[in-house]
Amino acid sequence: MTTIPRQRPTLSSTSGTGHARILGIGGYRPERVVTNDEICENIDSSDQWIRERTGIVTRRFAALEETVVDMASAAALEALKSAGLTPSQVDAIILATVTHPYQTPGAAPMVADRIGATPAAAFDISAACAGYCHGIALANDMVRGGSARFVLVIGVEKLSDFTDRTDRGSAFIFGDGAGAAVVGPSDFPGISPTVWGSDGARWETISQRNSWIEVRDQHVEWPAITMAGQSVFRWAVYSMAPIAHAALDKAGIKAEDLDAFIPHQANMRIIDALVKQLKLPEHVAIARDIADTGNTSAASVPLATKRMLDSGEAPHGGLALQIAFGAGLVYAAQVIVLP
Ligand code: UT7
Protein backbone atom coordinates (compact mmCIF):
# COMPACT_ATOMS: atom_id res chain seq x y z
CA MET A 1 0.00 0.00 0.00
CA THR A 2 1.45 3.40 -0.94
CA THR A 3 1.19 6.34 1.38
CA ILE A 4 0.54 9.88 0.18
CA PRO A 5 3.86 11.75 0.45
CA ARG A 6 2.38 15.16 0.88
CA GLN A 7 -0.37 16.87 2.81
CA ARG A 8 -3.65 15.95 1.10
CA PRO A 9 -5.67 19.09 0.28
CA THR A 10 -9.22 19.20 1.57
CA LEU A 11 -11.81 19.05 -1.21
CA SER A 12 -14.37 21.77 -1.38
CA SER A 13 -17.95 20.67 -0.84
CA THR A 14 -21.38 21.94 -1.76
CA SER A 15 -23.76 23.32 0.77
CA GLY A 16 -27.31 23.55 -0.44
CA THR A 17 -30.40 25.24 0.82
CA GLY A 18 -32.01 24.08 4.02
CA HIS A 19 -35.22 23.03 2.34
CA ALA A 20 -36.79 22.26 -1.04
CA ARG A 21 -40.31 22.17 -2.42
CA ILE A 22 -42.23 21.71 -5.64
CA LEU A 23 -42.51 25.13 -7.27
CA GLY A 24 -44.62 24.27 -10.31
CA ILE A 25 -46.40 21.40 -12.06
CA GLY A 26 -47.11 20.74 -15.73
CA GLY A 27 -48.80 18.03 -17.74
CA TYR A 28 -49.40 16.82 -21.26
CA ARG A 29 -52.29 14.61 -22.36
CA PRO A 30 -52.26 13.40 -25.96
CA GLU A 31 -55.25 14.32 -28.05
CA ARG A 32 -56.62 10.93 -29.02
CA VAL A 33 -59.21 9.51 -26.61
CA VAL A 34 -59.42 5.72 -26.72
CA THR A 35 -62.62 4.09 -25.46
CA ASN A 36 -62.98 0.68 -23.85
CA ASP A 37 -65.00 -0.41 -26.87
CA GLU A 38 -62.01 0.34 -29.10
CA ILE A 39 -59.76 -1.72 -26.78
CA CYS A 40 -62.29 -4.57 -26.96
CA GLU A 41 -61.86 -4.78 -30.74
CA ASN A 42 -58.66 -6.74 -30.00
CA ILE A 43 -59.49 -8.64 -26.80
CA ASP A 44 -62.38 -10.72 -25.48
CA SER A 45 -63.65 -8.21 -22.91
CA SER A 46 -66.28 -5.53 -22.43
CA ASP A 47 -66.65 -1.88 -21.53
CA GLN A 48 -68.52 -2.98 -18.39
CA TRP A 49 -65.77 -5.41 -17.25
CA ILE A 50 -63.02 -2.83 -17.75
CA ARG A 51 -64.98 -0.14 -15.86
CA GLU A 52 -65.84 -2.48 -12.99
CA ARG A 53 -62.41 -4.06 -12.59
CA THR A 54 -60.24 -0.95 -13.16
CA GLY A 55 -62.38 2.20 -13.08
CA ILE A 56 -61.04 3.12 -16.50
CA VAL A 57 -63.57 4.63 -18.92
CA THR A 58 -61.16 6.08 -21.49
CA ARG A 59 -57.42 6.63 -21.85
CA ARG A 60 -55.30 8.74 -24.23
CA PHE A 61 -52.93 7.35 -26.85
CA ALA A 62 -50.21 9.49 -28.40
CA ALA A 63 -50.12 9.93 -32.17
CA LEU A 64 -47.87 7.58 -34.12
CA GLU A 65 -45.20 10.22 -34.62
CA GLU A 66 -45.52 11.71 -31.13
CA THR A 67 -42.58 10.73 -28.92
CA VAL A 68 -41.67 10.49 -25.25
CA VAL A 69 -39.40 13.51 -25.82
CA ASP A 70 -42.27 15.53 -27.38
CA MET A 71 -44.64 14.82 -24.49
CA ALA A 72 -41.97 15.35 -21.81
CA SER A 73 -40.95 18.69 -23.32
CA ALA A 74 -44.53 19.97 -23.37
CA ALA A 75 -45.06 19.01 -19.71
CA ALA A 76 -41.68 20.45 -18.69
CA LEU A 77 -42.34 23.83 -20.31
CA GLU A 78 -45.69 24.07 -18.58
CA ALA A 79 -44.11 23.19 -15.19
CA LEU A 80 -41.45 25.87 -15.67
CA LYS A 81 -44.06 28.44 -16.63
CA SER A 82 -46.12 27.68 -13.54
CA ALA A 83 -42.98 28.00 -11.40
CA GLY A 84 -42.16 31.35 -13.03
CA LEU A 85 -38.81 30.09 -14.28
CA THR A 86 -37.09 29.98 -17.66
CA PRO A 87 -35.45 26.83 -19.11
CA SER A 88 -32.00 28.41 -18.75
CA GLN A 89 -32.43 28.37 -14.96
CA VAL A 90 -32.72 24.56 -14.86
CA ASP A 91 -29.63 22.84 -13.42
CA ALA A 92 -30.76 19.24 -13.79
CA ILE A 93 -33.44 17.15 -15.49
CA ILE A 94 -34.44 13.77 -14.07
CA LEU A 95 -36.68 11.93 -16.52
CA ALA A 96 -38.52 8.82 -15.38
CA THR A 97 -39.73 6.49 -18.12
CA VAL A 98 -39.77 2.88 -19.26
CA THR A 99 -41.00 3.56 -22.78
CA HIS A 100 -38.34 5.73 -24.42
CA PRO A 101 -37.56 3.48 -27.40
CA TYR A 102 -33.79 4.06 -27.38
CA GLN A 103 -31.69 1.90 -25.05
CA THR A 104 -29.25 4.79 -25.25
CA PRO A 105 -29.03 7.77 -25.17
CA GLY A 106 -31.55 8.74 -22.52
CA ALA A 107 -34.47 11.02 -23.30
CA ALA A 108 -33.52 13.66 -20.71
CA PRO A 109 -30.63 15.25 -22.66
CA MET A 110 -32.89 15.50 -25.73
CA VAL A 111 -35.55 17.22 -23.61
CA ALA A 112 -32.91 19.61 -22.23
CA ASP A 113 -31.90 20.50 -25.77
CA ARG A 114 -35.49 20.76 -27.01
CA ILE A 115 -36.65 23.16 -24.29
CA GLY A 116 -33.43 25.19 -24.17
CA ALA A 117 -32.13 23.98 -20.82
CA THR A 118 -28.62 23.00 -21.96
CA PRO A 119 -26.13 22.39 -20.46
CA ALA A 120 -28.24 21.14 -17.54
CA ALA A 121 -27.32 17.71 -16.16
CA ALA A 122 -29.87 15.38 -17.71
CA PHE A 123 -30.44 11.68 -17.13
CA ASP A 124 -33.18 9.03 -17.19
CA ILE A 125 -34.20 6.79 -14.34
CA SER A 126 -35.98 3.45 -14.64
CA ALA A 127 -38.32 2.92 -11.73
CA ALA A 128 -41.46 2.27 -13.75
CA CYS A 129 -44.67 3.57 -12.18
CA ALA A 130 -42.71 4.80 -9.14
CA GLY A 131 -40.23 6.75 -11.25
CA TYR A 132 -41.68 10.21 -10.61
CA CYS A 133 -41.72 9.75 -6.81
CA HIS A 134 -38.12 8.47 -6.99
CA GLY A 135 -37.26 11.58 -9.01
CA ILE A 136 -38.86 13.88 -6.42
CA ALA A 137 -36.79 12.20 -3.69
CA LEU A 138 -33.58 12.69 -5.68
CA ALA A 139 -34.39 16.29 -6.61
CA ASN A 140 -35.18 17.13 -2.97
CA ASP A 141 -31.76 15.84 -1.90
CA MET A 142 -29.97 17.52 -4.81
CA VAL A 143 -31.42 20.93 -3.98
CA ARG A 144 -30.84 20.49 -0.25
CA GLY A 145 -27.33 19.14 -0.86
CA GLY A 146 -26.38 21.92 -3.23
CA SER A 147 -25.69 19.97 -6.44
CA ALA A 148 -28.53 21.81 -8.19
CA ARG A 149 -30.77 24.79 -7.52
CA PHE A 150 -33.68 24.06 -9.85
CA VAL A 151 -34.43 20.47 -10.89
CA LEU A 152 -37.04 19.37 -13.43
CA VAL A 153 -38.57 15.99 -12.59
CA ILE A 154 -40.49 14.45 -15.46
CA GLY A 155 -42.62 11.29 -15.59
CA VAL A 156 -43.49 10.32 -19.14
CA GLU A 157 -44.74 7.21 -20.94
CA LYS A 158 -45.82 6.15 -24.38
CA LEU A 159 -47.12 2.80 -23.18
CA SER A 160 -49.17 2.33 -26.35
CA ASP A 161 -45.86 1.39 -28.03
CA PHE A 162 -45.14 -1.32 -25.45
CA THR A 163 -48.61 -2.77 -24.98
CA ASP A 164 -49.70 -5.98 -26.66
CA ARG A 165 -53.12 -4.88 -27.89
CA THR A 166 -54.22 -8.53 -27.96
CA ASP A 167 -53.17 -9.35 -24.38
CA ARG A 168 -56.36 -9.73 -22.32
CA GLY A 169 -54.40 -9.18 -19.11
CA SER A 170 -52.99 -5.73 -19.88
CA ALA A 171 -54.32 -4.22 -23.13
CA PHE A 172 -57.03 -2.22 -21.34
CA ILE A 173 -54.97 -0.71 -18.55
CA PHE A 174 -52.25 1.52 -19.99
CA GLY A 175 -52.34 5.06 -21.39
CA ASP A 176 -49.88 7.70 -22.63
CA GLY A 177 -48.94 11.11 -21.19
CA ALA A 178 -46.41 13.22 -19.34
CA GLY A 179 -46.26 15.13 -16.07
CA ALA A 180 -43.50 17.34 -14.71
CA ALA A 181 -42.55 19.22 -11.56
CA VAL A 182 -39.92 21.83 -10.79
CA VAL A 183 -38.17 21.34 -7.45
CA GLY A 184 -36.24 24.27 -5.99
CA PRO A 185 -35.17 26.06 -2.80
CA SER A 186 -37.73 26.76 -0.10
CA ASP A 187 -37.98 28.56 3.26
CA PHE A 188 -39.80 25.56 4.75
CA PRO A 189 -39.69 21.76 4.24
CA GLY A 190 -41.86 21.12 1.17
CA ILE A 191 -40.94 17.48 0.56
CA SER A 192 -40.85 15.01 3.45
CA PRO A 193 -38.30 12.20 3.79
CA THR A 194 -39.13 9.50 1.23
CA VAL A 195 -40.03 5.94 2.21
CA TRP A 196 -38.87 3.78 -0.66
CA GLY A 197 -37.70 0.29 -1.41
CA SER A 198 -37.72 -2.69 -3.74
CA ASP A 199 -38.58 -6.38 -3.98
CA GLY A 200 -36.54 -7.60 -6.93
CA ALA A 201 -37.41 -11.25 -6.32
CA ARG A 202 -40.76 -10.41 -7.91
CA TRP A 203 -39.31 -8.77 -11.01
CA GLU A 204 -41.20 -11.07 -13.35
CA THR A 205 -44.64 -9.90 -12.21
CA ILE A 206 -44.41 -6.79 -14.43
CA SER A 207 -41.83 -7.03 -17.14
CA GLN A 208 -40.94 -6.58 -20.75
CA ARG A 209 -41.95 -9.92 -22.30
CA ASN A 210 -38.56 -10.65 -23.89
CA SER A 211 -35.10 -9.20 -23.42
CA TRP A 212 -33.52 -7.35 -26.35
CA ILE A 213 -31.00 -10.25 -26.62
CA GLU A 214 -33.88 -12.72 -27.08
CA VAL A 215 -35.42 -10.42 -29.67
CA ARG A 216 -32.09 -10.40 -31.53
CA ASP A 217 -31.14 -14.09 -31.22
CA GLN A 218 -34.46 -15.90 -31.06
CA HIS A 219 -36.54 -13.57 -33.21
CA VAL A 220 -39.28 -13.58 -30.59
CA GLU A 221 -42.19 -11.15 -30.69
CA TRP A 222 -42.07 -7.45 -29.81
CA PRO A 223 -41.15 -7.10 -26.12
CA ALA A 224 -44.39 -5.63 -24.85
CA ILE A 225 -44.93 -5.19 -21.11
CA THR A 226 -46.85 -8.02 -19.47
CA MET A 227 -48.24 -8.22 -16.00
CA ALA A 228 -49.29 -10.93 -13.54
CA GLY A 229 -52.25 -8.70 -12.69
CA GLN A 230 -53.61 -10.54 -9.66
CA SER A 231 -50.20 -10.86 -7.92
CA VAL A 232 -49.41 -7.20 -8.48
CA PHE A 233 -52.89 -6.23 -7.33
CA ARG A 234 -52.52 -8.16 -4.05
CA TRP A 235 -49.02 -6.80 -3.46
CA ALA A 236 -50.19 -3.24 -4.02
CA VAL A 237 -53.24 -3.55 -1.79
CA TYR A 238 -51.52 -5.29 1.14
CA SER A 239 -47.99 -3.93 1.03
CA MET A 240 -48.47 -0.28 0.08
CA ALA A 241 -50.73 0.87 2.95
CA PRO A 242 -47.94 0.30 5.53
CA ILE A 243 -45.56 2.26 3.26
CA ALA A 244 -48.06 5.13 3.08
CA HIS A 245 -48.40 5.04 6.89
CA ALA A 246 -44.61 5.09 7.23
CA ALA A 247 -44.42 8.14 4.94
CA LEU A 248 -46.92 9.99 7.13
CA ASP A 249 -44.90 9.06 10.24
CA LYS A 250 -41.64 10.20 8.65
CA ALA A 251 -43.28 13.47 7.65
CA GLY A 252 -44.43 13.91 11.25
CA ILE A 253 -48.09 14.31 10.32
CA LYS A 254 -51.34 12.36 10.65
CA ALA A 255 -53.86 11.33 7.99
CA GLU A 256 -56.22 14.09 9.15
CA ASP A 257 -53.56 16.72 8.37
CA LEU A 258 -53.69 15.82 4.67
CA ASP A 259 -55.57 17.80 2.04
CA ALA A 260 -55.06 15.25 -0.72
CA PHE A 261 -54.08 11.64 -1.34
CA ILE A 262 -52.43 11.09 -4.72
CA PRO A 263 -51.64 7.40 -5.23
CA HIS A 264 -50.33 5.93 -8.47
CA GLN A 265 -53.28 5.57 -10.81
CA ALA A 266 -52.93 1.81 -11.27
CA ASN A 267 -56.48 0.64 -10.71
CA MET A 268 -59.47 2.38 -9.07
CA ARG A 269 -59.97 -0.67 -6.85
CA ILE A 270 -56.40 -0.37 -5.53
CA ILE A 271 -57.01 3.34 -4.84
CA ASP A 272 -60.24 2.51 -2.96
CA ALA A 273 -58.53 -0.23 -0.95
CA LEU A 274 -55.71 2.11 0.09
CA VAL A 275 -58.14 4.87 1.07
CA LYS A 276 -60.00 2.38 3.26
CA GLN A 277 -56.87 1.02 4.94
CA LEU A 278 -55.47 4.48 5.58
CA LYS A 279 -58.81 5.54 7.13
CA LEU A 280 -58.59 8.87 5.37
CA PRO A 281 -61.09 11.43 6.68
CA GLU A 282 -63.82 12.79 4.39
CA HIS A 283 -62.09 16.11 3.78
CA VAL A 284 -59.05 14.47 2.09
CA ALA A 285 -59.43 14.77 -1.69
CA ILE A 286 -58.62 11.52 -3.51
CA ALA A 287 -56.96 11.50 -6.95
CA ARG A 288 -59.08 9.50 -9.39
CA ASP A 289 -57.54 10.64 -12.63
CA ILE A 290 -57.38 7.02 -13.85
CA ALA A 291 -61.01 7.15 -15.05
CA ASP A 292 -60.18 9.06 -18.23
CA THR A 293 -56.39 8.77 -18.27
CA GLY A 294 -55.76 5.07 -17.67
CA ASN A 295 -52.57 3.90 -16.00
CA THR A 296 -49.78 6.12 -17.36
CA SER A 297 -47.05 4.65 -15.14
CA ALA A 298 -44.42 7.33 -14.36
CA ALA A 299 -46.74 10.12 -15.54
CA SER A 300 -49.70 9.15 -13.38
CA VAL A 301 -48.90 10.97 -10.10
CA PRO A 302 -47.92 14.35 -11.63
CA LEU A 303 -50.85 14.25 -14.09
CA ALA A 304 -53.26 13.51 -11.24
CA THR A 305 -51.69 16.26 -9.13
CA LYS A 306 -52.07 18.79 -11.90
CA ARG A 307 -55.70 17.89 -12.45
CA MET A 308 -56.51 18.23 -8.74
CA LEU A 309 -54.90 21.67 -8.58
CA ASP A 310 -56.48 22.90 -11.83
CA SER A 311 -59.96 21.74 -10.80
CA GLY A 312 -59.64 23.14 -7.29
CA GLU A 313 -60.11 19.67 -5.74
CA ALA A 314 -56.83 20.13 -3.86
CA PRO A 315 -55.61 23.47 -2.49
CA HIS A 316 -52.38 25.18 -3.54
CA GLY A 317 -50.11 25.07 -0.50
CA GLY A 318 -51.96 22.08 0.98
CA LEU A 319 -50.43 18.77 2.04
CA ALA A 320 -50.59 15.73 -0.23
CA LEU A 321 -49.42 12.17 0.35
CA GLN A 322 -48.14 10.67 -2.89
CA ILE A 323 -47.26 7.01 -3.30
CA ALA A 324 -46.30 5.03 -6.38
CA PHE A 325 -45.39 1.41 -7.03
CA GLY A 326 -44.69 -0.83 -9.97
CA ALA A 327 -42.27 -2.91 -12.02
CA GLY A 328 -39.14 -3.91 -10.17
CA LEU A 329 -40.96 -4.30 -7.93
CA VAL A 330 -40.27 -0.82 -6.52
CA TYR A 331 -42.12 1.80 -4.54
CA ALA A 332 -41.70 5.32 -3.12
CA ALA A 333 -43.89 7.57 -0.98
CA GLN A 334 -43.57 11.06 0.44
CA VAL A 335 -45.67 13.96 1.67
CA ILE A 336 -45.40 17.16 -0.35
CA VAL A 337 -46.60 20.70 0.01
CA LEU A 338 -48.63 21.31 -3.16
CA PRO A 339 -47.27 24.16 -5.29
O1 UT7 B 1 -49.01 0.18 -12.69
C1 UT7 B 1 -48.19 -0.85 -12.26
C2 UT7 B 1 -48.85 -1.68 -11.28
N1 UT7 B 1 -49.96 -2.36 -11.89
C3 UT7 B 1 -51.03 -2.61 -11.19
O2 UT7 B 1 -51.09 -2.21 -10.05
C4 UT7 B 1 -52.12 -3.45 -11.80
C5 UT7 B 1 -52.60 -4.44 -10.80
N2 UT7 B 1 -53.57 -5.40 -11.30
C6 UT7 B 1 -54.82 -5.07 -11.69
O3 UT7 B 1 -55.15 -3.91 -11.77
C7 UT7 B 1 -55.79 -6.17 -11.95
O4 UT7 B 1 -55.21 -7.40 -11.57
C8 UT7 B 1 -56.29 -6.28 -13.41
C9 UT7 B 1 -57.21 -5.11 -13.70
C10 UT7 B 1 -55.11 -6.27 -14.36
C11 UT7 B 1 -57.12 -7.55 -13.60
O5 UT7 B 1 -58.20 -7.54 -12.68
P1 UT7 B 1 -58.47 -8.79 -11.74
O6 UT7 B 1 -59.65 -8.49 -10.95
O7 UT7 B 1 -57.20 -9.10 -10.98
O8 UT7 B 1 -58.77 -9.92 -12.78
P2 UT7 B 1 -58.35 -11.45 -12.73
O9 UT7 B 1 -57.09 -11.64 -13.49
O10 UT7 B 1 -58.40 -11.95 -11.32
O11 UT7 B 1 -59.53 -12.14 -13.51
C12 UT7 B 1 -60.86 -12.15 -12.97
C13 UT7 B 1 -61.81 -12.71 -14.00
C14 UT7 B 1 -61.36 -14.05 -14.58
O12 UT7 B 1 -62.53 -14.80 -14.90
P3 UT7 B 1 -63.06 -15.97 -13.93
O13 UT7 B 1 -61.95 -16.94 -13.83
O14 UT7 B 1 -63.37 -15.30 -12.62
O15 UT7 B 1 -64.26 -16.48 -14.64
C15 UT7 B 1 -60.69 -13.66 -15.87
O16 UT7 B 1 -60.72 -14.71 -16.82
O17 UT7 B 1 -61.91 -11.84 -15.11
C16 UT7 B 1 -61.53 -12.52 -16.32
N3 UT7 B 1 -60.79 -11.57 -17.15
C17 UT7 B 1 -61.36 -10.76 -18.03
N4 UT7 B 1 -62.64 -10.63 -18.38
C18 UT7 B 1 -62.92 -9.69 -19.33
C19 UT7 B 1 -59.46 -11.33 -17.12
N5 UT7 B 1 -59.17 -10.34 -17.99
C20 UT7 B 1 -60.33 -9.98 -18.57
C21 UT7 B 1 -60.69 -9.04 -19.53
N6 UT7 B 1 -61.97 -8.92 -19.87
N7 UT7 B 1 -59.76 -8.24 -20.10
Side-chain angles (χ1 to χ4, degrees):
M1 195 169 126
T2 53
T3 50
I4 299 167
R6 58 193 163 77
Q7 178 84 32
R8 189 183 67 202
T10 304
L11 298 177
S12 59
S13 167
T14 55
S15 60
T17 59
H19 307 296
R21 67 186 167 100
I22 296 177
L23 303 170
I25 287 262
Y28 176 79
R29 296 167 193 272
E31 217 174 286
R32 192 161 100 77
V33 175
V34 177
T35 62
N36 290 336
D37 285 337
E38 182 178 336
I39 297 292
C40 294
E41 286 169 15
N42 296 308
I43 54 170
D44 175 19
S45 189
S46 66
D47 175 48
Q48 189 191 350
W49 188 92
I50 297 171
R51 282 181 197 232
E52 285 175 5
R53 305 301 271 206
T54 69
I56 299 170
V57 180
T58 57
R59 73 287 291 143
R60 305 283 184 114
F61 279 0
L64 207 59
E65 66 283 359
E66 206 166 24
T67 67
V68 157
V69 172
D70 294 335
M71 293 191 283
S73 300
L77 286 172
E78 195 176 66
L80 284 169
K81 194 171 167 202
S82 85
L85 295 168
T86 60
S88 61
Q89 291 174 279
V90 174
D91 297 307
I93 299 178
I94 301 171
L95 186 147
T97 191
V98 290
T99 49
H100 176 51
Y102 283 79
Q103 183 82 45
T104 194
M110 298 185 204
V111 172
D113 178 58
R114 178 80 66 84
I115 67 173
T118 44
F123 56 93
D124 292 5
I125 57 173
S126 176
C129 306
Y132 171 79
C133 292
H134 279 69
I136 292 296
L138 295 176
N140 183 36
D141 290 347
M142 285 161 71
V143 172
R144 294 186 316 118
S147 56
R149 191 166 159 77
F150 296 112
V151 183
L152 251 177
V153 179
I154 305 169
V156 54
E157 303 291 0
K158 190 177 179 188
L159 282 152
S160 57
D161 274 344
F162 288 89
T163 299
D164 176 350
R165 308 268 172 110
T166 65
D167 175 17
R168 199 165 177 247
S170 66
F172 51 86
I173 206 155
F174 296 125
D176 299 338
V182 183
V183 175
S186 171
D187 297 336
F188 53 85
I191 299 169
S192 77
T194 294
V195 177
W196 52 1
S198 66
D199 184 359
R202 301 203 216 197
W203 72 271
E204 281 176 311
T205 53
I206 315 176
S207 160
Q208 179 173 320
R209 187 177 277 153
N210 307 297
S211 76
W212 295 117
I213 303 298
E214 287 164 334
V215 172
R216 184 192 65 192
D217 293 347
Q218 295 166 30
H219 306 291
V220 290
E221 61 193 317
W222 176 247
I225 294 166
T226 58
M227 193 168 62
Q230 246 187 35
S231 313
V232 179
F233 187 94
R234 277 198 294 264
W235 170 75
V237 165
Y238 295 112
S239 306
M240 289 304 103
I243 301 301
H245 270 302
L248 289 175
D249 287 347
K250 269 204 167 179
I253 67 161
K254 304 229 170 301
E256 53 263 36
D257 298 321
L258 289 172
D259 296 288
F261 177 52
I262 313 179
H264 167 45
Q265 304 291 291
N267 182 322
M268 200 70 92
R269 286 157 54 219
I270 296 177
I271 297 170
D272 289 338
L274 290 176
V275 168
K276 206 167 156 192
Q277 290 181 73
L278 291 171
K279 298 187 173 62
L280 295 179
E282 282 284 302
H283 75 265
V284 179
I286 313 296
R288 297 189 184 282
D289 189 39
I290 188 170
D292 62 11
T293 306
N295 176 342
T296 57
S297 188
S300 91
V301 168
L303 275 176
T305 307
K306 179 158 165 51
R307 165 166 284 179
M308 292 183 100
L309 288 171
D310 288 353
S311 65
E313 269 177 279
H316 292 278
L319 288 179
L321 168 62
Q322 54 185 33
I323 178 166
F325 43 84
L329 297 173
V330 296
Y331 54 86
Q334 64 258 124
V335 177
I336 58 150
V337 175
L338 290 161

